[in-house]
């Protein structure tokens, strides 16, 4: 169908993804993880989909230095969505995509000190609403 450049595969298995990379080198592949990954330099992934708890600024910077992206899951709280964007993640996996679009648009309009306050609220466990 001529859509090979649009295929993205994600798995919990680094070995399975390495095999997939050999079979389909043009596909984007990513590791789904709910645990700390350790040294990512030993892996050759296009992206890492991690639990938001593991998406620290240093982790995101390290992944970016190696030319990969960071996606966080499952982030349904507006404060946490804004905080993830502040950490530099490349994508947010959520059950509430409309809310995420609105939160990120509003965050883009905030002054730097207001963004800092959102980051601080997230550190303190700030939540809005009953989601997540």
């Amino acid at each position: 169908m001529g859509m090979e450049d649009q295929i993205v595969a994600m798995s919990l298995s680094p070995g399975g993804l390495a095999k997939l990379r050999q079979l389909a080198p043009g596909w984007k592949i990513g590791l789904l993880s709910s645990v700390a990954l350790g040294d990512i330099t030993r892996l050759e992934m296009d992206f890492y989909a991690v639990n938001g708890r593991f998406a620290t600024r240093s982790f995101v910077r390290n992944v970016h230095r190696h030319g990969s992206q960071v996606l966080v899951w499952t982030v349904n709280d507006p404060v946490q969505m804004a905080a993830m964007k502040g950490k530099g993640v490349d994508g947010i996996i959520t059950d509430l995509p409309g809310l995420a679009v609105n939160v990120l648009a509003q965050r883009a309009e905030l002054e730097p000190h207001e963004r800092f306050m959102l980051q601080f609220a997230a550190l303190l466990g700030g939540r809005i609403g009953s989601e997540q």
Side-chain angles (χ1 to χ4, degrees):
M1 305 298 297
M3 298 174 64
E4 291 85 9
D5 61 334
Q6 298 178 36
I7 295 174
V8 177
M10 181 171 59
S11 174
L12 292 164
S13 169
L17 289 167
K19 182 66 173 174
L20 182 59
R21 174 79 78 202
Q22 292 173 346
L23 296 172
W27 292 7
K28 288 187 178 181
I29 61 169
L31 183 64
L32 173 63
S33 181
S34 62
V35 297
L37 295 174
D39 181 14
I40 63 151
T41 60
R42 61 184 167 70
L43 305 171
E44 293 183 21
M45 301 293 153
D46 296 306
F47 66 92
Y48 297 87
V50 299
N51 185 299
R53 292 185 308 246
F54 300 115
T56 63
R57 284 179 193 257
S58 63
F59 175 77
V60 173
R61 278 193 300 261
N62 191 27
V63 169
H64 287 165
R65 271 194 302 274
H66 289 92
S68 299
Q69 295 183 320
V70 176
L71 310 177
V72 290
W73 54 266
T74 301
V75 183
N76 291 330
D77 178 77
V79 172
Q80 296 301 316
M81 289 174 180
M84 291 297 122
K85 182 64 176 173
K87 291 179 181 183
V89 302
D90 301 289
I92 296 172
I93 299 168
T94 181
D95 297 322
L96 306 167
L99 176 64
V101 168
N102 289 336
V103 166
L104 297 179
Q106 290 174 8
R107 184 189 178 280
E109 295 176 8
L110 295 177
E111 297 294 328
H113 68 278
E114 293 171 315
R115 289 184 190 154
F116 172 79
M117 292 303 291
L118 274 174
Q119 290 295 127
F120 189 64
L123 280 173
L124 295 176
R127 298 272 190 269
I128 298 174
S130 61
E131 300 296 330
Q132 193 163 336

